[in-house]
Amino acid sequence: MAALRGNDWAFLPNALPPSWTTPERLWPLVASARDKVGQLNGIGRTLPAPRLLLRPLQRREALRSSRLEGTFVSPQELLLFEIQMRQKREPQTDRESDWLEVFNYYRALRIGHKKIVAGDAFDRGLFQELHRALLMRARGRNRNPGQFRTRQVHVGLDHRYNPPPPGQLLECLANLESYLAGDDSTYNPLVRACIVHYQFEAIHPFADGNGRVGRLLLSLTVCKWLDLSLPWIYMSEFFERNRQEYIDRLFRVSALGEWEDWVTFHLHVTIAQSEASIERCASLQALRNTYRKRMAHASARIGGIVDRLFSLPVVRIVDVRNQFKVSYATAKADVDRLVDAGILVEIEGVYPKTFGAVEVMQTAYGD
């Protein structure tokens, strides 16, 4: 502990690795979680167009992780933002700030994956890059994006948790960085990722956005350390549904050293989210096959439009025109045909005319 002004004390997490070791009674749960992640990755490897089905999972993660921080955006709002409001300008309203905040998470996740595929290390440079991507032009942009905090912060209205003071911050980060660079075979990779997630949240290195950066790192470490073909596993949906338990479990590691309860919770989250993603991927793939059969006698161009709907299930006629280099009239005829087939529906109140694949959105983003 470190003393602060007044009656507050700051918490200094113990250096990694922890003195705790995985007890034998947890081994079956670890094996079950690892098996579920393996099943999900196996499905991902066999999909004919895996990235088409990965994008909805990543947007769900962005939506749910942002909800944990009090930012509520609907899937349709996020999708419309992607196609209509990507220009680099400051948000004009609070609602635009919300949309940009969630989109930035989705963007940061993809940036992070490209980094680790390229061989970049899990280090403070990556932490800072993810943080910059999250706060770019969004709420919090005035809180030093990409820079570690230089003042004390508090978590909770009642100062329930006070992370390390700025003077001890770099020492804590150096230990975390060293642990991430090592090869700790003491723990299963899933358990190790869970330990790192706690440590990052306990250090709380930024003035804002720590929870989101921590959950981004969780997805990326699991992807890297379990050698997944793509980052298929995301935890924020379960965390958001069990928000208080998630927060309490993190806090009790700091207050009482309850590593086993935290790891057990995390493994159950891994199993539940793997099963949910397996089911969602299967449903999306089945729907894609249904659409392809329905449009079997259409042009290859229309087949391409249908496939794109699984990655981004909203489309404008001008998008079709630009993507396939056809006339506006031809693009309109293609969209009209998909409307007649029951695949697209016009979204009311949006200009220019925008169409949504309702069944895809329900399958990808519904509960």
Side-chain angles (χ1 to χ4, degrees), residues 8-295:
D8 279 343
W9 290 81
F11 177 76
L12 298 177
N14 291 329
L16 295 182
S19 57
W20 178 84
T21 56
T22 310
E24 187 174 344
R25 59 182 168 272
L26 280 189
W27 292 354
L29 185 61
V30 173
S32 179
R34 182 70 180 261
D35 181 62
K36 284 296 180 184
V37 175
Q39 288 179 39
L40 175 59
N41 189 52
I43 290 172
R45 288 183 185 277
T46 60
L47 290 171
R51 291 183 185 274
L52 292 181
L53 305 187
L54 178 67
R55 298 293 179 251
L57 299 182
Q58 292 178 323
R59 289 193 193 91
R60 286 182 70 87
E61 169 67 9
L63 290 160
R64 296 295 185 145
S65 186
S66 298
R67 281 191 196 181
L68 274 163
E69 307 301 329
T71 301
F72 294 84
V73 170
S74 73
Q76 181 170 293
E77 287 175 321
L78 175 60
L79 294 166
L80 290 174
F81 177 85
E82 282 194 49
I83 64 169
Q84 290 185 311
M85 302 182 69
R86 284 184 177 177
Q87 61 266 37
K88 293 183 178 180
R89 64 176 177 83
E90 299 297 317
Q92 303 300 303
T93 66
D94 286 343
R95 202 63 192 140
E96 285 188 18
S97 293
D98 291 342
W99 299 338
L100 180 58
E101 189 172 305
V102 179
F103 177 75
N104 279 354
Y105 189 100
Y106 171 60
R107 178 175 169 271
L109 183 57
R110 296 174 67 182
I111 289 172
H113 182 240
K114 287 180 181 178
K115 290 287 183 182
I116 64 170
V117 168
D120 285 25
F122 288 108
D123 59 15
R124 67 189 74 187
L126 179 62
F127 304 163
Q128 291 172 310
E129 185 153 0
L130 293 175
H131 192 254
R132 274 192 295 270
L134 277 175
L135 270 59
M136 186 177 67
R137 307 194 324 276
R139 188 180 293 113
R141 60 188 179 277
N142 59 341
R143 305 191 73 180
N144 301 317
Q147 301 299 313
F148 297 127
R149 58 182 170 85
T150 57
R151 60 180 180 80
Q152 184 63 37
V153 295
H154 311 280
V155 180
L157 295 176
D158 58 352
H159 290 197
R160 184 188 189 193
Y161 179 74
N162 299 319
Q168 278 76 44
L169 192 61
L170 293 183
E171 181 181 348
C172 293
L173 282 168
N175 169 253
L176 176 59
E177 195 173 42
S178 175
Y179 183 72
L180 283 162
D183 183 18
D184 188 354
S185 59
T186 304
Y187 302 102
N188 179 279
L190 277 174
V191 175
R192 187 179 177 213
C194 168
I195 289 169
V196 166
H197 180 52
Y198 161 77
Q199 194 78 358
F200 182 88
E201 298 297 346
I203 295 170
H204 226 69
F206 299 106
D208 187 29
N210 294 283
R212 286 171 290 161
V213 175
R215 289 185 290 276
L216 283 167
L217 287 170
L218 177 58
S219 296
L220 295 173
T221 52
V222 169
C223 177
K224 180 72 172 182
W225 292 342
L226 272 71
D227 194 27
L228 304 187
S229 58
L230 288 168
W232 290 107
I233 182 71
Y234 302 103
M235 314 289 191
S236 290
E237 182 170 1
F238 194 102
F239 291 156
E240 194 258 331
R241 287 181 174 176
N242 300 273
R243 184 177 185 276
Q244 195 57 53
E245 183 177 6
Y246 170 54
I247 293 170
D248 288 345
R249 295 287 188 192
L250 281 167
F251 179 75
R252 290 175 72 86
V253 177
S254 301
L256 301 171
E258 291 185 356
W259 279 109
E260 183 174 343
D261 287 350
W262 165 242
V263 170
T264 300
F265 172 70
H266 186 274
L267 293 171
H268 282 300
V269 174
T270 303
I271 292 169
Q273 289 306 112
S274 295
E275 290 175 342
S277 294
I278 288 169
E279 183 177 345
R280 201 170 301 277
C281 283
S283 297
L284 286 166
Q285 182 64 15
L287 184 60
R288 180 171 179 262
N289 291 339
T290 297
Y291 284 174
R292 290 175 73 86
K293 288 177 183 177
R294 192 181 301 177
M295 307 307 294

